[in-house]
Structure formats: structure tokens, C-alpha cells
Amino acid sequence: MLHFWCIMTNHEVARLLRNIAAAYILQNENRFKIIAYQNAADSIEHLSANIEDLGRSGKLKNIPGIGSSIASHLDELFTTGKSRHFESVLKQIAPAVFPLLDLPGFGAKKAAKLVTALKLNRASEAIKDLYNAAKLGKIASIPDFGEKSQQDILEAILRFQKQGQKEKRMALPLAHTLAMEIVDYLKSSPFVLKIETLGSLRRMVATIGDIDLAVATKNPEAVLDHFVSYPKFGKLIERGSGGASIILGGGQHVDLRVIKPPAWGSMLQYFTGSKSHNIRLREFALKKGLSLNEYGIKNLKTKKLMEFASEDEFYRYLGLSLIPPQIREDRGEIEAALKGRLPQLVSLSNIRGDLQIHSSYDLHPSHDLGKNSMEEIVAKAKSLGYEYIAFSEHNPSVSKHSIQQIIDIMKRRKDKIEQIKESTKSVRILNLLEIDINTTGELALPEEAFDYIDAALVSIHSSFNQSKDQMTKRVLSGLSHPKAKILAHPTGRLINEREGISLDFSQIFDHAQKNNKAIEINSYPNRLDLPDILVIEAKKYGIKFTLGTDSHDISGMDLMKYGVSVARRGWLAPDDIWNTKSYNEIYKWLTNN
DNA sequence: GCCGTTTTCGGCCCGACTGTTTTCAGTCG
């Protein structure tokens, strides 16, 4: 099969479709056609799978927002390297328009007006040329522009250029921890009646831009005064009657919104989003003659606006059950709520044990040891109310030991674990090991050493850049060992640091389902892996999951809630997760070879 | 151009903010 070495990323394809939309705007095309292209671009940007891979397997039309027309153009683009239709559309527009679309506050019309008026004809230098024109005061005299907009354009360009070194989105656990500190602080004000996170933070998305909070109060000014006295306060951005924005000392942006209690529910619903959930919900409401906005629900006939003090009442008024924030992503949740078929999502209280923990027991591992002893971990597990935990240190280094040495190390470790089991009756112990899958697909543990563990988690820790075919074979091979029961942090992604490996997940999930293997949801702060969208995919195969904190010290064991939030975003119920089951059930599964 | 609990035709979310155009278009979330 013909293969193009340089495949397009989802971001690049999305960008191309946004350029097409911009071109259509300038050609006064049907505005819904324009929206369709923008929707398709959004949809592609949020995909977990690579768009070109989906194209190769003929699944483009499965992507929401992509129908037969766009699918056929993309198909042509992927197989021949170009789309005649896209090229002919883009050809109509001055090339310098497109780079300007990246500037904040710029849309197609503003960009095109400037390109024409200033005769910008070098696409690669468009932003620079625009900047120089603004500096020379050439923009203020263009019709529809003035002194203010000229100044705004200068600032927009500077902001855009600075964006390169801008803070990346925060991993959820960091944002959540910061938010909870602020929430605790705000609660010390007697005027705070209710407080909640908003936006992606409330939905527990894996990465967070700004920290958004809301407070219900009868005295907004007092609450805002309290907010801007926060000890970690860095800089005030703005303050109005409805809220304030600040930057913390660490550079994180925090927005607080204040509202009277009777309108709390509608406000919370509106600002929790997601945007696509809200759009779908408004379409749904419209069919009932109702219009939704941040203040409440308006009856289009009577023009009367109903306020809602709680989200529960808001959703109920629409004939829906309350949809948990984590699944408000327009992935079928409204239809499910309508039919009363929302899943009973797993919660932290359902979790009876932690299935990935690294102790400081030194088996000369291939990767890092934990910091706390097995005894300290057991004590921590007790304080968390767990029924069981798993020790899952990394396998002993292969290169530094002989096979016999490894066997001896594993034997001694088993003795140690047996000894801990003797002394601790309240917390049951599982003897697991996290084993590397080598580049060839072999597990980095001699066969005889498997006798000294109950079962293994297997994972990729090297050669992350193998081709998708190689990597898929590698993982399937590793997972095929009878003692390999869990595929740990399956994509290997590190948020803000490393993209995940490329893997054919349909094969992995299929294999896992047929062979009773579990897929891990790893709670480690910058992993949160398997990512939520793939969890939804995996669940369709009917496979089970395990949750593990991947703790390397006992404070890490507190982070299970983030794994739970990934599971909730993946629509998982307790029954989908092994750690909600009893020790006996898990032990039976793990040791049933 | 997409999509389907009333529809394969005829719809397609909502409001805030901004600047400049005195009545609105463009952009954003």
C-alpha cells in the first residue's frame, strides 16, 4: 500500500477546514455551510484518533460533523496529497488573509479588509507587514477602523507573539489543587453561601486553562473584597459587579463569578459547559419552545424567564435527569438523560483498593523506586479505608543482573510481601509487578521469576517512536503472557511533555476483551492515561479497567480521585472497574491463568 | 454542509462585548 511519510496532524486538518470556512465567509456562502466547516474543524481537533488513520480505514463519516461531502474531500486529500475542491476555494482568497486569522480578535472579514486596504501580498510576512502598517498609523484611516482599533491590532500582534512562551494548560491535578485552596479560603467568608468550580475544571478535563469559580451570595461586594485579599494573590485583571479576575503569584489565571442564590442553578449550568453540550441542550430546548441562557429558561411564547436555584431543577424542567458535569460533552448524554439511561457513574467511595503502587523495596529496578516502605504504604492504605492494595514495583534491571540474580531478587521480594501479609490482616496485599514490554514485545522478566508474583502490569517505557504497526504488535505480544493482566498507562503520554505512542487501539481492546485483560486508568497527575475519549471507546468492547495511582510515595495515594474523574468522563459504572470488587474476586481474576 | 423521537427536507444556540456605522457587524466563549 502506498504510504505518505508525512501525515497531517488533526490540528493541521482542522486548520485547513477553518481556512475553507473563512474563504466561504468572504464569498458570502450560505452561513450554515460555513458553520458546518467550523464544526467539522472543532470535531477533528478534539478527536483522540489520528484523522488520517480514520480516513484510511474509511471511518471519516463516523466523526460527528463530517458528512459525505467533507469526507470525500478529505479522502482525496489523504490519498493524493491534495484536494482539488479545497484548493479551488482557497485560490479565490488573498493568501495573506489566512495567517492573520491566528491573531486574537481577528475573523475573516477583518483580516480581508486589512489585506485589501494595506495591499498585504506576502503571506509569510503578513503579520509583520500588518504590524509595521499599524506602527506607521496607516490603519486608523481605513473605513471601519479607527485609532482604538489600530492600537488593539498592535496589542493583539504583541500578545500573539508572546503566546509562544505562554504558560501551557495545567494538568488537572495541579489546577484542582490550586482551586481547592482558593475554595477553602473563600469559604471562610460568612457571605459565601455556595461555591463551585466551573468550566473544564468542574468537568474534570485532563488539562485546564483558567481556574473558574462561582459563589452564591447575597453580598457580592463583600465576597469580591475577600477574593482579592487572597494570600497568593498576584495581580488584579479586572473587577466588576458580577465577578473578578486575578492572576496568582504562580501565574495562573483565576476568575470568580458571584451571583444571587435564586439564579445559581442556571448560572452554574451555563458556565460549566461544555460549549458543545450547551449548544445541543439549547437545540433540544428549542424544540419544546424554550430558550436557554445564563439567567434561566425563557418560554418563547409567554416571554417569561424562569430562574433556577439548582441545576437539578434546571435539567428537570427540560424533562431530563441531572447530567453529571463530567459527561457534559455532547457524547449522547442528553439522549441518555431523556431516556433515563444515564449510567450510574463510579465514584471515589466505590474504590476498594489501589492497583498500582511503588514501594521503596529495592529490587534494583529498571526504573525509579518508590520513597516509602511497604509498611508505610499499608498504613496509608488503612487510613484511606482500603480493603486491599497491590505492590507493583518495576521489574529488576535486566542488563545489570543474571537470570539467577533476578530470580533471587524476586524470591526475596515475595518473602517480604508474605511477611507483610502475616502482620497485616486488615489490608489484603496483591503481589504484582510492573514489567517493561521490550521493543521486541518480550517481557523484561525471566520466565522462572513469574512464579514469585500473582500477576503483572505491563507497560511501555522505551522506544516510544516505533511505528503504529510495530508498537501494536509489541503491546499485543506483551499482553499475551498469561500472567500479564493489566496494560498500564496505555498511551504513555505525559501531559505537556510527550505525545502518546501510536497504537491501534481497536486491536488492543479486542484482544483485552477476548483474553480477560484489563486496561489501566492511571491517576498519576501528568498521565491520566487511558485518556477519557479512549475509555469511552474501550467500554464499547465490554472490557474492564483497573485504577491505579502509580504512587511513588504515600501522598500520591491521595490522587485516586483524578483517576476516578477520568473514569467518570469515560461513562464508567462501578461494575466496569475491577477495584470496585472484593479482594477475592480480583485475586481470582489475577491468578486465573 | 450536516442531520434525524415531527423531518431524507428544512431546519441549524445564545448573549456579551467592542468599536464605530447612529442601528449594527464582527468576534468570542
Side-chain angles (χ1 to χ4, degrees), chain A residues 164-289:
Chain A
Q165 59 239 32
K166 199 187 129 190
E167 288 276 314
K168 292 181 178 153
R169 286 172 70 85
M170 288 172 270
L172 170 70
L174 169 65
H176 192 258
T177 304
L178 289 172
M180 289 307 111
E181 286 173 16
I182 303 170
V183 165
D184 282 343
Y185 167 79
L186 287 173
K187 277 183 181 165
S188 67
S189 160
F191 299 107
V192 170
L193 302 175
K194 285 179 184 159
I195 184 161
E196 257 301 348
T197 52
L198 298 172
S200 54
L201 187 54
R202 182 149 184 258
R203 302 198 313 279
M204 301 292 265
V205 181
T207 65
I208 307 294
D210 297 341
I211 295 172
D212 294 321
L213 301 171
V215 161
T217 179
K218 289 177 181 166
N219 190 341
E221 288 306 315
V223 172
L224 291 176
D225 284 343
H226 186 57
F227 179 54
V228 300
S229 314
Y230 183 57
K232 291 188 180 173
F233 179 89
K235 189 174 148 201
L236 179 68
I237 301 297
E238 62 176 344
R239 175 173 172 169
S241 57
S245 296
I246 65 170
I247 293 180
L248 299 180
Q252 301 86 0
H253 203 123
V254 186
D255 286 342
L256 174 67
R257 211 164 274 284
V258 288
I259 189 143
K260 301 266 165 62
W264 173 249
S266 1
M267 192 278 301
L268 208 54
Q269 196 287 322
Y270 182 85
F271 285 107
T272 295
S274 67
K275 181 181 168 186
S276 45
H277 171 82
N278 283 356
I279 288 174
R280 182 74 66 192
L281 195 64
R282 284 179 215 137
E283 286 172 354
F284 170 77
L286 213 51
K287 290 182 186 152
K288 296 172 175 280

Side-chain angles (χ1 to χ4, degrees), chain A residues 498-514:
Chain A
R498 181 174 76 207
E499 294 283 312
I501 57 176
S502 76
L503 208 53
D504 182 348
F505 276 104
S506 61
Q507 288 190 50
I508 305 294
F509 296 154
D510 190 53
H511 176 92
Q513 194 276 329
K514 291 192 171 115

Side-chain angles (χ1 to χ4, degrees), chain A residues 288-306:
Chain A
K288 296 172 175 280
L290 302 169
S291 170
L292 311 182
N293 61 42
E294 77 179 273
Y295 309 107
I297 299 179
K298 192 165 70 182
N299 185 313
L300 290 172
K301 258 191 198 150
T302 64
K303 304 282 177 204
K304 198 181 145 212
L305 182 80
M306 300 255 314

Side-chain angles (χ1 to χ4, degrees), chain A residues 262-491:
Chain A
W264 173 249
S266 1
M267 192 278 301
L268 208 54
Q269 196 287 322
Y270 182 85
F271 285 107
T272 295
S274 67
K275 181 181 168 186
S276 45
H277 171 82
N278 283 356
I279 288 174
R280 182 74 66 192
L281 195 64
R282 284 179 215 137
E283 286 172 354
F284 170 77
L286 213 51
K287 290 182 186 152
K288 296 172 175 280
L290 302 169
S291 170
L292 311 182
N293 61 42
E294 77 179 273
Y295 309 107
I297 299 179
K298 192 165 70 182
N299 185 313
L300 290 172
K301 258 191 198 150
T302 64
K303 304 282 177 204
K304 198 181 145 212
L305 182 80
M306 300 255 314
E307 287 193 321
F308 293 87
S310 77
E311 275 188 325
D312 193 26
E313 296 166 71
F314 186 95
Y315 280 99
R316 257 210 318 251
Y317 190 81
L318 296 173
L320 302 172
S321 41
L322 179 66
I323 299 174
Q326 291 90 345
I327 62 168
R328 295 183 198 167
E329 299 288 350
D330 186 23
R331 294 176 186 151
E333 68 275 10
I334 293 167
E335 295 80 351
L338 189 61
K339 292 177 186 156
R341 288 198 195 143
L342 280 176
Q344 194 61 48
L345 298 181
V346 64
S347 66
L348 185 58
S349 60
N350 298 130
I351 303 300
R352 294 158 79 168
D354 188 336
L355 293 178
Q356 190 180 168
I357 304 175
H358 296 257
S359 78
S360 61
Y361 182 82
D362 191 359
L363 33 50
H364 307 283
S366 51
H367 306 285
D368 46 348
L369 274 174
K371 292 192 177 62
N372 292 101
S373 67
M374 288 181 168
E375 289 83 354
E376 288 167 331
I377 288 167
V378 169
K380 176 71 178 182
K382 261 185 213 169
S383 79
L384 291 171
Y386 282 153
E387 293 174 32
Y388 50 85
I389 51 162
F391 289 121
S392 62
E393 290 75 32
H394 290 286
N395 57 273
S397 157
V398 174
S399 56
K400 289 180 185 148
H401 303 102
S402 67
I403 289 180
Q404 190 54 49
Q405 283 173 320
I406 292 175
I407 294 170
D408 291 343
I409 291 170
M410 291 304 297
K411 198 170 174 200
R412 278 203 301 277
R413 176 175 174 272
K414 182 176 181 182
D415 291 343
K416 169 72 179 177
I417 290 176
E418 289 302 321
Q419 178 199 328
I420 302 252
K421 280 187 189 172
E422 282 299 309
S423 59
T424 331
K425 296 294 179 202
S426 57
V427 177
R428 310 292 300 271
I429 312 284
L430 292 159
N431 175 355
L432 305 186
L433 194 73
E434 183 180 8
I435 307 178
D436 291 342
I437 307 174
N438 291 338
T439 50
T440 56
E442 306 217 326
L443 295 183
L445 193 76
E447 198 50 43
E448 301 91 316
F450 278 92
D451 292 344
Y452 304 105
I453 56 175
D454 294 331
L457 301 92
V458 295
S459 52
I460 301 289
H461 287 101
S462 62
S463 299
F464 295 96
N465 292 324
Q466 284 183 317
S467 74
K468 185 170 185 173
D469 264 7
Q470 269 182 311
M471 192 61 94
T472 303
K473 284 188 187 129
R474 177 180 175 187
V475 170
L476 288 175
S477 159
L479 207 48
S480 295
H481 191 285
K483 284 226 169 181
K485 295 294 184 181
I486 301 169
L487 179 62
H489 48 72
T491 76

Side-chain angles (χ1 to χ4, degrees), chain A residues 54-124:
Chain A
L54 293 176
R56 227 171 274 132
S57 45
K59 289 182 184 161
L60 290 178
K61 286 193 68 179
N62 295 353
I63 302 169
I66 295 189
S68 49
S69 172
I70 294 181
S72 75
H73 298 318
L74 289 180
D75 221 28
E76 184 189 342
L77 176 68
F78 297 154
T79 46
T80 70
K82 62 179 197 175
S83 148
R84 284 163 301 170
H85 174 69
F86 290 166
E87 285 190 358
S88 78
V89 173
L90 295 176
K91 216 168 55 190
Q92 317 284 318
I93 307 300
V97 168
F98 301 112
L100 299 187
L101 300 176
D102 289 332
L103 296 171
F106 273 64
K109 301 210 173 170
K110 189 192 282 190
K113 269 183 207 162
L114 290 165
V115 166
T116 307
L118 298 167
K119 299 191 171 54
L120 304 180
N121 48 24
R122 306 185 298 172
S124 60

